Each structure stands twice: as C-alpha cells, then as structure tokens.
Amino acid sequence: MRLWGGRFAAEADEQVAAFGRSIDVDAELALDDLDGSIAHVRGLGRAGLLTTDEVATLEQGLVALRADVESGSITWDPALEDVHLNLETMLTERVGTVGGKLHTGRSRNDQVATDLRLWSRRACDRLDVALVAMERALVELAERDGDAVLPGTTHIQPAQPVLFAHHLLAYVEMLERDRDRFVAARRRLNVSPLGSGALAGAGYPLDREATAAELGFDAVSRNSMDATSDRDFVVDMLAGAALAMVHLSRLAEELTWWSNPRFGFVRVSDAFSTGSSMMPNKKNPDPAELVRGRTAGVIGSLAAMLTLIKGLPLAYQRDLQEDKAPLFASIATLEASLAVMAGVVETLLVDPERMRDAAEEGYTTATALADELVRRGVPFRAAHHIVGGLVGGAEAEGVRTLAGLPDEAYRAALDGSDDPTARNLAGVKGIARALREAATVEGSLAAADVTGGTAPSRVADQLAAAKARLQAG
C-alpha cells in the first residue's frame, strides 16, 4: 500500500508512477537516511511520543537495516518510489506496526533535506582529502623537477622564463582556494532542517537542537519554509566542483600540449596513456583529455541547478527531486578526476633540456634587461624602447637570445637612445657585460625577487609554505 495514498480512490497511472520514481538515484542517500531516522526516533522518545521499548525496537531495526545497506544485500522496490519509503517499508516488515510510528513529526520534505545535507557534508570531507592528494602530487613534482626552467607565456606567446616549480605551485594555489570553497560550503550546509515538517514545522514538541547535535549539525534551521525548500547548499557544492574541474582542465590542457613531441617538455606515463586503434605510433594522454571534457558536464550541472530553482515558489516543489542526479554525478566526476590527475602528475617524466631550450626562445629575458636599465637610472619607457630595438636587431641578425648579442649592439642601442642617462651608460666600462648577464635566463629568474615571484629563493619559500600547509592538514 502506498504510504501516502489514503485520500486517493484510484491507482496512479503506471507512466506517472514510473516518471516520478527516484530510487535509482536517491538510493545513494540510504545510509544518511538511516542515520537521520535513528536520531529522529531518539528525538521522538525524548518528546514522549514513543515508549522506551518502541525506541529500542525501532533503533535496532534501523541499525540492522544500515548493516544490510552497507553489505549491499538490500533489494530496492521501484514501486515504492524513493529511498525513504523503501526503508520505512522494510523497517515495518521487520519490526511490525511500530514501524508506522517512525514518520511521526516528519515529512519527506525535511527528511530528504536532512539526508542531502548529511551526504553533502561527507562529500566535502572526501573532496578535501582528494584535493590535498592532488596538491601533494604537484608539490612532490615541484621538489623533484622544479628547478627546470619553463617558458612562461601570455597570450600563448613567449613572455618570461619561470621555474617549473613556480608554474606547478600556481595550481597548488588554485586547489587551496577550491579547498576553502568546500570548507565554506560545509559550514553553510551544516544546519539541520529536521523538525521543519512539510513546510510549517513539526506539530510535536521535538527538541530539534538535541537531534541536530546528535547528527553533528552546528545549528538548526531558523525558518521551516526555507529549510525544506533551500538548495543553496547544492549550488555551493556544484559551484565548487565546477571551478575545481576548471582548474584541473587548465592543467590537463597544458599537459596535453607539453606531451606533444613538438614541445617535448614532459612524457606522460604509459599507465596513464592510451593508443590508437589505427595508428601504431600514437600515445595519447586520454585521462587528461577526459578530465578536460568532463569539466563541461559539471559546469552544465551547475547551470542546470540554478535554472531548476530560479522559478520555484516557497516551499517544497517536486522539481527539487531533480537536484540529486547532477550533484551526485558532479561530485563523483570531481573525485575521479582528482585521483586520475594526481596519478598523471606523480608519474610524469620531465625533460629539463627541452624546457630550457624553449624558455630561451622569443627573447623572454627582455623585461629583465629593461629592468636592469631602470635600476641604472634609465626611465622605464626609454628602457622599453631600447630593449625593443635590441630584440628587433637580434631577430634581423638571426641571433637567438639577447644574451647572444655582441658588445657593440648594446653600446649602439644605448648611444642611439633619446635618453641622456642611457647615452651616458654607453661609455661605462663593462656595461655590455652587465646587461648581457641580466639578459640570461638565470639573470631574469633572479630579478623576480619579490614575494610570490619566480626567483629561486622565492619559489623555495612558496614550496616550503605549501608543504607546511599540507602537513598541517
């Protein structure tokens, strides 16, 4: 018998019944539903709505059901719509008519809201562990091969040389923000809706605070209508997941390009690559590509959830049944993506020579050379113009780097400047050598000696700070 069917004279149309079923999705909430029910039963006992024996009987039945769910021995009945009715029916079959008292003072509206918050809280905790593992993989790679020099780019064009460790630690910063987002999401969602009923609040003197504390919530909801219809926390979770996937996708994009033999900066392990069914030569970084591709689905889930709730009046509407599939799928995708990308990074082989060779292309030390002129009193705009002329001359002469220019080129560039300080520098003994040293990759790296910069000592500080954060948890 339908647990809600007392006022209905006709059976539901089979298509309607099938259309409304959610057990294939919300069975994921079974353990959370049982935890919530156990706490609710104890609350009913405290309120005098159940005898001590009834509390014991129901609690024993629920604990036994929990063990069966954990062992995978439960068979779900699609005719019972959802996980809540399935579990209540199973309980009643085991303990008898007292099972009919379980739902006293509770609606599926506050029940599912509680379940989903409990599930989301566990998901936040799992994601923090997975994010930390990904950060550790990046930090370990930065320690192992971080002194390699990478061509930093803007507009996908050569810009300035950076340490490979500096580049990797940029992703560590992104992932730290992801961790912070899920910590904040967990804090906001850790409020108990249980006792809100369908929308107006339970009709019994339930101690909501005691039940909330038993379930590990920090507080109880202040408004029953908001409590049963609020899915902001689902949006929080999806927003955090979408942005974390975007960060992984950016790294996946770079690894895909870097592993192309034309770049040759890195080699992805065979264990994290696939081949072609047609071309025997192929070695494809498929896991990274799939992470990049599945990011689209998580972004789509966020858009879908925002669209789902944008037109809903208070309080609960059945539309909210559709909140779980995108949430569950997106969190599973993020967890799997973090694990596979950590594996890719942990097994990555780096070619420092290829990186260094590329870092010297495109006159990437030009900014450091201009800065050296500024340190010697030349206005930056004049220095910019002088170095631009040196770059143009090197290109015309086929000289690959600014450090490869002869002394005469430096002196001529200074002497031909409109700036008097620059012209005076042209006659300074050893000036060409000093500028040439500033124009080396090492000189360029060393010059970025500010907090957060790519100077080796500053990157060492960043690395030490990242390790300390991860060790602290």
Side-chain angles (χ1 to χ4, degrees), residues 80-381:
L80 292 173
E81 298 182 25
D82 58 32
V83 66
H84 320 296
L85 298 187
N86 264 269
L87 290 173
E88 184 176 337
T89 300
M90 292 177 200
L91 178 68
T92 302
E93 289 171 351
R94 296 183 183 201
V95 303
T97 56
V98 69
K101 295 187 176 185
L102 173 65
H103 210 53
T104 306
R106 185 172 71 170
S107 164
R108 279 187 294 176
N109 296 357
D110 63 341
Q111 184 178 3
V112 70
T114 302
D115 294 354
L116 197 53
R117 285 172 184 264
L118 291 172
W119 185 94
S120 297
R121 190 173 70 192
R122 290 192 294 114
C124 284
D125 294 341
R126 292 197 313 273
L127 285 170
D128 191 67
V129 172
L131 285 162
V132 166
M134 182 67 204
E135 286 189 53
R136 285 198 175 115
L138 290 164
V139 166
E140 287 168 7
L141 181 58
E143 284 189 300
R144 187 172 73 241
D145 292 298
D147 58 352
V149 183
L150 189 71
T153 67
T154 62
H155 306 275
I156 320 183
Q157 302 300 316
Q160 292 177 270
V162 297
L163 288 179
F164 185 44
H166 192 58
H167 194 103
L168 295 172
L169 289 171
Y171 283 101
V172 172
E173 293 299 318
M174 296 181 209
L175 293 168
E176 273 294 297
R177 293 195 294 273
D178 294 327
R179 288 184 68 196
D180 187 62
R181 268 181 281 275
F182 283 111
V183 167
R186 190 190 194 283
R187 175 182 55 79
R188 283 192 290 270
L189 69 82
N190 204 32
V191 174
S192 175
L194 198 58
S196 297
L199 78 161
Y204 306 94
L206 301 176
D207 186 343
R208 295 187 62 211
E209 287 77 10
T211 303
E214 186 173 335
L215 288 170
F217 287 113
D218 296 327
V220 298
S221 55
R222 295 191 294 261
N223 183 284
S224 58
M225 295 185 75
D226 176 60
T228 57
S229 61
D230 168 36
R231 293 299 184 272
D232 289 2
F233 68 96
V234 176
V235 174
D236 267 354
M237 294 285 289
L238 288 171
L243 194 46
M245 286 297 296
V246 166
H247 293 153
L248 292 179
S249 182
R250 294 180 71 180
L251 178 59
E253 172 78 0
E254 292 190 318
L255 291 175
T256 301
W257 279 108
W258 292 348
S259 63
N260 182 303
R262 190 66 177 174
F263 286 80
F265 298 169
V266 300
R267 290 191 297 280
V268 178
S269 166
D270 286 358
F272 289 88
S273 304
T274 64
S276 165
S277 62
M278 177 182 176
M279 296 169 284
N281 61 303
K282 292 302 295 297
K283 180 179 177 181
N284 303 322
D286 275 12
E289 294 175 67
L290 286 170
V291 167
R292 189 176 58 190
R294 289 178 185 174
T295 299
V298 179
I299 293 170
S301 291
L302 172 60
M305 190 63 206
L306 288 167
T307 306
L308 176 70
I309 63 176
K310 73 171 184 62
L312 295 187
L314 289 174
Y316 181 85
Q317 312 296 329
R318 189 63 179 269
D319 311 51
L320 293 176
Q321 178 176 298
E322 301 304 303
D323 59 357
K324 295 165 207 58
L327 176 62
F328 295 165
S330 294
I331 298 304
T333 295
L334 177 55
E335 286 186 276
S337 298
L338 285 165
V340 77
M341 285 297 286
V344 169
V345 170
E346 287 166 354
T347 58
L348 201 65
L349 295 176
V350 176
D351 190 331
E353 292 183 8
R354 292 290 292 272
M355 280 191 184
R356 171 66 183 240
D357 191 53
E360 293 183 337
E361 291 181 344
Y363 308 100
T364 57
T365 62
T367 302
L369 178 55
D371 290 341
E372 178 64 19
L373 289 171
V374 169
R375 282 190 286 271
R376 292 173 179 272
V378 179
F380 178 75
R381 284 301 162 206

